[in-house]
Amino acid sequence: MHTLLPPPPPSSPDYSPSLAKLASRILYPNPLPSSATHHPLYILNSSAFPDARETSYDDLVPYVLARLPAEDDLLAGQQYEILFFAKASADDATKDGKKKRPGWQWCVQTYQLLSRILRKRLSRLWIVGAESWVRMLVEGVMVISGGKGRKKVVFLRGVKELDAWGVKLRELCVPSGVWVAERRRKRKRRGSVVDEERKDRGRRAFGVREPLPRSTADDEEEKRVRLPRVLREATSFLLMDECVKTQGIFRVNAKAVMVEVLQELYEQGQQFIVWQERNTVLCFPCWREEAGDVALDELKEKDGFDVHAAAGLIKLWYMELREPIFPQSCYQALGKFYGDVNLQLEPPQLVEMLRPDAEWTVLSTTARRILRMHLLPLLSRVTEMEEWNHMKAYGLVVCFAPALLRGPDIEEDMKMMGIVRRLLDAMISNWKEHLAPALKTDHQSFEAELRLPEVVADREDPLEEGDDTTSPSEAQMSGITLIDNDGSVSDNTPQEDVSDEEDEAPPLPERPIPFPPLPPRPRTFLDSIQDGRPSLPPRIRSSTIADIRITPTTTNDTTSKPTPNGPDTAVKRKPAPTVLPLPRYSMVVGPSSQQPPATMEHIPFYNSVEETGEEFQDRDGLDSELPEYEAMPESATRTAIPRKPVPKSLSKGEV
């Protein structure tokens, strides 16, 4: 009988802090109990399993099992549940990741080390994303134990299936590796990551109608705008001392899958989101009615999202705004007043642009409020740590400018990019000394905006029903009817926006319009045989060749004579033109006054041209001297070049 020995106390020299820290990452209690049974819920994270070549699993067992409920509480009747994330990281599927898995012998021995009260008080074992080796291992353990705990095991394919069993996913502290594995599983199954639930659930953080929600306080004076939760938490973590000094902040891109996961978590209202960068960990507490503020203990051992993911999430929030900070409607004014490269932007000009009560400015009221409350104080604080993060004001502007311009024409955006960069560079450089005092704000007020709201309802952003993606500029144009000079409505206006009374459609014709007649079918070889008329062989037969009766003709005939069958059966055809072959190396000599013969016979070919004496004339009008040719003696034999005879014409019977 195996007995479980407790780990040594922290004061003992045999106590291992590294194994204790590793055990707290493998098995830890959830901050809130199970919403289905209200039992304590423990999360077992497989992505935290160490490499068997570096860590001894036999020495690790006491530290892991010591984190389970105490036997005194279990003897009093308390039960507990375990949520096992079997595939929490993509590294488990690699060849090197297989070595991280503990052996099946170690799993069986660990189960045997559990006391009887721990086995009996386990009410449910949830296994999410179980692979074949996990199923085989669980089945083997159940066989060894006699099959008593088989009914307590529930296999789930994904994290989303927990809601169907009554376990609220929003109340779970899930490791970041689990969300990444869930996102990759969706991408592999669907081909592309498309959040279809967002249309039914609505929007909460990104692309909402009111980017700065209002407080729900009872006092009318306190119902002011506030920062959304996504900006409040991501900015608070980014401005921590160790995080804000990270080199290349806002310039180094985070993993796209991490930013997508964070966007989904804030959209669904996940209560526990852990941020972690080296030894700095941050997680805002959750409020529950019967428990009050619930914080997550032992944060240093949890897997969280890094500082680059927080920076990428902030840029994504600005990119997802329904109306960007610099919309297309202000491009003309920007080019007119700030298009000059040599223009010196003075602080009074910038203050007038950002004032909430400005009479005229190129920015909207919401854009000015976002710049004053969040963007300019954040970037100014980052530039103060330039010695460590190596990020100047212009470098931050280069990273943020594409997220602030999002017009329909990319070429216009690129033209305005330089103007926006110069404006933001001047605003960030003059924020702390000139702009913030003139706008009656400071660093303390910015930190107050980042604190956890005292009103519980303000800790989470309101949910907007539906997926209305209409921007404010498009909403202003909706309902406008364009009417031409003659009183008719333009074709660009939808019909349902013109009037409620629509003209009736014209009645359909009583008789259907007949189709045009089909062209005659081309004759085939069999049709010509049945008619008693010869035809070409099928291999050279074509529908474009008409039936032609071939009759014997001579080369000098211009028309064909009718056959004995009668003039109706004979078809006239044009004789083929005479084809004369070109000479190879000699000149053709003949009397010019005579017509060329019908055949190529008796045409002399010589190696030289016969002299004609005074009768020779330059017909081409060439002034150059002609070469002298040797006179051909009369006794010379004139030999004609042999040629192939002309084929004879085929008669009727020879076809």
Side-chain angles (χ1 to χ4, degrees):
M1 182 66 180
H2 298 277
T3 57
L4 176 62
L5 298 178
S11 58
S12 174
D14 297 334
Y15 180 79
S16 175
S18 60
L19 292 179
K21 181 179 180 180
L22 186 59
S24 62
R25 294 184 56 196
I26 296 176
L27 182 66
Y28 59 90
N30 192 61
L32 296 176
S34 175
S35 56
T37 59
H38 300 284
H39 295 159
L41 181 62
Y42 289 82
I43 296 178
L44 181 60
N45 183 18
S46 66
S47 64
F49 285 161
D51 194 343
R53 299 170 298 182
E54 301 176 357
T55 305
S56 175
Y57 275 86
D58 295 336
D59 299 339
L60 183 62
V61 170
Y63 293 91
V64 174
L65 298 184
R67 302 185 62 82
L68 291 174
E71 294 188 1
D72 297 339
D73 299 334
L74 299 178
L75 291 175
Q78 181 182 355
Q79 296 182 347
Y80 69 99
E81 299 178 4
I82 295 180
L83 178 58
F84 177 36
F85 293 108
K87 188 176 181 180
S89 177
D91 297 337
D92 297 340
T94 61
K95 182 182 298 185
D96 184 65
K98 293 181 180 179
K99 299 179 182 180
K100 296 182 180 181
R101 300 174 180 173
W104 64 272
Q105 296 180 355
W106 179 84
C107 297
V108 173
Q109 293 178 1
T110 303
Y111 179 79
Q112 293 178 351
L113 290 176
L114 295 176
S115 61
R116 181 176 178 274
I117 191 64
L118 284 174
R119 302 179 192 176
K120 186 176 181 181
R121 294 301 181 184
L122 178 63
S123 61
R124 186 73 66 182
L125 175 61
W126 312 90
I127 302 179
V128 180
E131 296 182 349
S132 57
W133 71 275
V134 178
R135 293 178 179 269
M136 294 174 59
L137 182 62
V138 172
E139 292 295 334
V141 173
M142 292 297 104
V143 170
I144 295 175
S145 62
K148 297 180 180 179
R150 191 183 301 272
K151 297 181 180 180
K152 300 180 180 180
V153 182
V154 178
F155 291 95
L156 302 176
R157 292 180 298 178
V159 185
K160 300 292 184 180
E161 297 182 5
L162 287 170
D163 293 331
W165 290 84
V167 180
K168 295 182 180 180
L169 186 60
R170 297 176 61 249
E171 299 180 355
L172 299 179
C173 182
V174 183
S176 59
V178 177
W179 296 116
V180 173
E182 181 72 12
R183 171 65 63 170
R184 289 175 177 171
R185 185 180 69 88
K186 289 182 180 180
R187 181 179 300 174
K188 183 178 181 180
R189 181 182 61 185
R190 303 180 184 179
S192 61
V193 180
V194 179
D195 191 6
E196 299 177 354
E197 299 178 358
R198 185 176 181 179
K199 297 182 180 180
D200 301 333
R201 182 179 62 242
R203 297 174 180 265
R204 188 188 300 270
F206 295 85
V208 294
R209 301 184 188 92
E210 295 183 2
L212 298 178
R214 291 189 173 273
S215 176
T216 58
D218 298 334
D219 191 358
E220 294 294 336
E221 296 181 358
E222 296 182 0
K223 286 187 177 182
R224 57 182 184 83
V225 294
R226 58 178 178 83
L227 292 178
R229 179 195 172 194
V230 55
L231 291 184
R232 187 179 68 243
E233 296 186 359
T235 306
S236 299
F237 173 68
L238 188 141
L239 292 180
M240 298 182 76
D241 294 338
E242 190 174 358
C243 298
V244 74
K245 297 179 180 179
T246 303
Q247 185 175 356
I249 190 172
F250 286 113
R251 178 176 55 83
V252 178
N253 294 329
K255 294 183 179 180
V257 64
M258 288 291 186
V259 180
E260 292 176 0
V261 166
L262 283 171
Q263 182 183 9
E264 183 180 0
L265 295 182
Y266 279 103
E267 286 287 2
Q268 70 185 14
Q270 193 70 23
Q271 295 183 358
F272 297 101
I273 298 179
V274 180
W275 301 92
Q276 181 183 19
E277 181 66 26
R278 296 184 291 272
N279 296 327
T280 303
V281 183
L282 177 65
C283 181
F284 285 88
C286 169
W287 188 88
R288 197 165 185 175
E289 186 174 356
E290 63 273 8
D293 287 339
V294 179
L296 185 63
D297 299 332
E298 302 175 355
L299 293 177
K300 294 184 179 181
E301 289 80 16
K302 302 299 178 296
D303 295 334
F305 300 94
D306 58 357
V307 63
H308 296 297
L313 188 67
I314 294 175
K315 290 191 292 185
L316 180 62
W317 186 87
Y318 280 94
M319 193 177 300
E320 291 287 334
L321 287 174
R322 293 202 176 188
E323 184 174 354
I325 301 297
F326 295 93
Q328 188 186 15
S329 58
C330 71
Y331 285 0
Q332 185 176 2
L334 285 175
K336 180 178 180 181
F337 295 102
Y338 308 101
D340 189 4
V341 181
N342 300 324
L343 178 64
Q344 296 294 333
L345 297 174
E346 300 296 336
Q349 292 179 287
L350 303 176
V351 171
E352 187 65 24
M353 184 184 299
L354 297 174
R355 279 178 51 191
D357 55 347
E359 296 181 359
W360 183 91
T361 178
V362 296
L363 300 176
S364 62
T365 304
T366 304
R368 285 176 287 168
R369 188 173 294 169
I370 294 175
L371 290 175
R372 294 193 310 268
M373 293 181 60
H374 182 260
L375 185 59
L376 295 180
L378 169 63
L379 299 184
S380 176
R381 175 62 177 168
V382 174
T383 55
E384 293 177 3
M385 302 297 173
E386 179 186 349
E387 182 180 356
W388 294 273
N389 55 35
H390 303 285
M391 293 300 296
K392 298 182 179 180
Y394 189 77
L396 294 173
V397 169
V398 171
C399 299
F400 259 94
L404 307 180
L405 292 170
R406 197 177 66 256
D409 191 354
I410 300 179
E411 294 182 359
E412 291 186 1
D413 294 349
M414 296 301 297
K415 293 178 182 178
M416 294 293 108
M417 194 74 69
I419 302 176
V420 172
R421 288 176 180 175
R422 288 190 289 106
L423 283 174
L424 290 180
D425 187 10
M427 290 179 183
I428 297 173
S429 303
N430 295 280
W431 173 257
K432 187 176 181 180
E433 296 181 2
H434 301 91
L435 301 186
L439 296 173
K440 298 180 181 180
T441 182
D442 52 7
H443 184 66
Q444 287 74 17
S445 60
F446 178 57
E447 291 182 348
E449 293 289 344
L450 299 179
R451 295 193 190 101
L452 189 67
E454 298 180 359
V455 181
V456 177
D458 293 343
R459 298 182 181 181
E460 186 60 71
D461 299 331
L463 181 64
E464 292 185 356
E465 300 294 337
D467 190 27
D468 182 17
T469 58
T470 305
S471 62
S473 58
E474 295 177 354
Q476 294 178 2
M477 293 297 297
S478 62
I480 299 177
T481 304
L482 302 179
I483 302 178
D484 296 337
N485 295 332
D486 55 353
S488 60
V489 182
S490 175
D491 296 335
N492 297 331
T493 305
Q495 187 67 22
E496 58 270 16
D497 295 342
V498 177
S499 61
D500 298 335
E501 300 179 359
E502 298 182 355
D503 298 336
E504 297 182 358
L508 296 176
E510 298 180 358
R511 292 183 180 181
I513 301 176
F515 292 99
L518 297 176
R521 187 183 65 176
R523 295 178 60 83
T524 61
F525 181 70
L526 296 177
D527 297 339
S528 62
I529 294 178
Q530 295 176 1
D531 298 342
R533 299 160 62 184
S535 176
L536 295 176
R539 60 182 179 181
I540 61 175
R541 182 69 176 173
S542 176
S543 60
T544 60
I545 301 177
D547 294 332
I548 300 176
R549 187 171 297 280
I550 304 175
T551 57
T553 59
T554 61
T555 56
N556 294 330
D557 294 339
T558 57
T559 57
S560 59
K561 298 180 180 180
T563 59
N565 296 337
D568 299 337
T569 60
V571 180
K572 295 181 181 181
R573 79 166 189 174
K574 184 179 180 180
T578 304
V579 180
L580 299 178
L582 298 175
R584 298 184 179 178
Y585 306 101
S586 303
M587 300 295 294
V588 180
V589 178
S592 59
S593 60
Q594 299 179 2
Q595 296 292 335
T599 62
M600 294 298 295
E601 298 179 1
H602 309 295
I603 296 180
F605 291 86
Y606 299 98
N607 294 329
S608 61
V609 181
E610 183 180 0
E611 286 185 349
T612 57
E614 298 178 356
E615 297 179 358
F616 180 80
Q617 298 179 358
D618 188 7
R619 301 177 208 163
D620 297 333
L622 301 176
D623 297 335
S624 62
E625 297 181 358
L626 297 176
E628 297 181 358
Y629 294 92
E630 182 182 357
M632 187 70 179
E634 296 181 359
S635 61
T637 305
R638 297 181 178 181
T639 306
I641 298 176
R643 61 179 298 276
K644 187 177 180 180
V646 179
K648 298 180 180 181
S649 302
L650 300 178
S651 59
K652 175 182 178 182
E654 295 178 352
V655 177

